[in-house]
């Protein structure tokens, strides 16, 4: 095989190429580029691509992140296994990445609902303290926190609802713009669909008087 210098040498193996790429990565602190490879003695970028198919595949096979913000498979696995227990910052520190990329990955894969230690969990706890453990409309004990005003941190914009009552709002069957609407709009709607089923409507007039 001919090298860049036009000399013949023993052919490079995949494992030698991987070692070579890792050593460049270690020396430069970044993913090796074509330019790096072609300016440092060793296999040419063409040789590397011939062995691995693509540049990205060669880097990944060598355990090197192809782009600064790209996650490696083992990192994705780590996030999937730990996102509930660890904060983004903890995961980022552990993996040596920025927390933005962790957050982006979680959002992309819907890995954030009911997460431990997030504001949503804290909000639900606070909301239940204010509005009770059960659905404010139908008194079912499996509940979710509904943000009447999206992302609001004001407790007056929250409601504790069961998945059914919640879905009536999220499916826009009833428009609830404030906590008063829960009683004047959502309750009648739920009553009407459940009229043949006996259930325990919550009559809790005090729940409107929560201070901010
Ligand atoms: Zn309900």
């Amino acid at each position: 095989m001919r090298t860049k210098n036009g000399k013949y040498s023993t052919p490079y193996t995949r494992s030698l190429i991987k070692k070579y790429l890792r050593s460049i990565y270690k020396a430069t602190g970044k993913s090796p580029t074509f330019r790096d490879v072609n300016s440092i003695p060793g296999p040419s970028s063409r040789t590397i691509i011939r062995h691995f198919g693509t540049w990205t595949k060669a880097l990944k096979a060598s355990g090197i992140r192809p782009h600064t913000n790209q996650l490696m498979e083992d990192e994705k696995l780590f996030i999937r296994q730990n996102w509930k227990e660890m904060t983004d910052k903890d995961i980022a520190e552990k993996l040596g990445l920025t927390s933005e990329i962790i957050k982006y990955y979680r959002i992309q894969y819907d890995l954030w609902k009911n997460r431990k230690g997030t504001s949503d969990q804290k909000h639900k706890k606070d909301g239940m303290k204010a509005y009770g453990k059960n659905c404010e409309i139908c008194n079912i004990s499996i509940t979710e926190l509904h943000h009447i005003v999206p992302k609001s941190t004001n407790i007056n914009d929250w409601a504790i609802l069961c998945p059914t009552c919640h879905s009536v709002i999220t499916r826009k069957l009833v428009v609830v713009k404030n906590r008063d609407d829960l009683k004047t709009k959502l309750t009648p709607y739920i009553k009407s669909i459940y009229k043949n089923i006996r259930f325990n409507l919550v009559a809790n007039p005090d729940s409107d008087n929560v201070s901010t």
Side-chain angles (χ1 to χ4, degrees):
M1 182 182 300
R2 198 199 285 264
T3 67
K4 283 170 290 193
N5 312 324
K7 291 175 185 163
Y8 287 89
S9 68
T10 42
Y12 290 102
T13 61
R14 281 171 68 99
S15 104
L16 270 175
I17 291 171
K18 285 194 265 183
K19 258 187 209 162
Y20 171 75
L21 289 172
R22 277 196 292 267
S23 68
I24 297 178
Y25 179 65
K26 221 176 158 187
T28 62
K30 62 181 191 63
S31 291
T33 60
F34 279 29
R35 188 197 285 233
D36 292 332
V37 164
N38 292 334
S39 64
I40 298 168
S44 69
S45 50
R46 269 186 64 192
T47 306
I48 294 172
I49 289 170
R50 200 173 59 240
H51 274 83
F52 291 90
T54 68
W55 189 248
T56 300
K57 278 181 188 165
L59 292 175
K60 282 187 172 172
S62 311
I64 298 168
R65 193 189 314 283
H67 304 288
T68 319
N69 282 342
Q70 195 162 333
L71 291 166
M72 307 291 286
E73 265 321 304
D74 55 336
E75 292 170 340
K76 289 179 187 172
L77 183 70
F78 183 84
I79 296 171
R80 284 196 292 272
Q81 287 170 342
N82 295 288
W83 64 271
K84 278 186 188 170
E85 286 74 29
M86 293 172 75
T87 64
D88 288 355
K89 200 169 163 252
D90 292 339
I91 296 175
E93 260 169 35
K94 176 90 184 166
L95 297 178
L97 302 162
T98 63
S99 37
E100 276 67 40
I101 140 172
I102 312 296
K103 189 177 167 192
Y104 178 74
Y105 178 81
R106 280 196 304 102
I107 289 170
Q108 208 181 355
Y109 290 93
D110 268 5
L111 296 177
W112 84 95
K113 284 172 186 165
N114 302 321
R115 187 166 180 235
K116 207 176 187 178
T118 59
S119 57
D120 266 12
Q121 279 285 314
K122 165 103 172 66
H123 286 179
K124 190 179 173 192
K125 222 171 144 190
D126 293 346
M128 284 168 94
K129 239 181 247 171
Y131 305 123
K133 283 182 195 164
N134 297 349
C135 174
E136 294 187 59
I137 309 300
C138 69
N139 209 23
I140 281 174
S141 63
I142 300 161
T143 57
E144 300 166 347
L145 178 76
H146 171 57
H147 287 85
I148 297 167
V149 177
K151 292 180 183 171
S152 172
T153 53
N154 185 335
I155 201 163
N156 293 308
D157 295 329
W158 305 344
I160 297 292
L161 299 172
C162 72
T164 307
C165 294
H166 199 179
S167 72
V168 169
I169 299 177
T170 52
R171 289 167 62 202
K172 297 189 168 67
L173 300 173
V174 170
V175 176
V176 172
K177 288 182 174 165
N178 51 56
R179 287 196 47 86
D180 287 340
D181 289 348
L182 293 174
K183 221 168 288 174
T184 58
K185 292 180 181 170
L186 186 57
T187 300
Y189 181 88
I190 296 290
K191 257 185 175 168
S192 74
I193 53 172
Y194 280 136
K195 62 182 170 224
N196 297 321
I197 305 167
R198 197 181 159 80
F199 73 99
N200 190 10
L201 272 176
V202 184
N204 184 8
D206 294 336
S207 64
D208 284 339
N209 300 331
V210 176
S211 57
T212 45

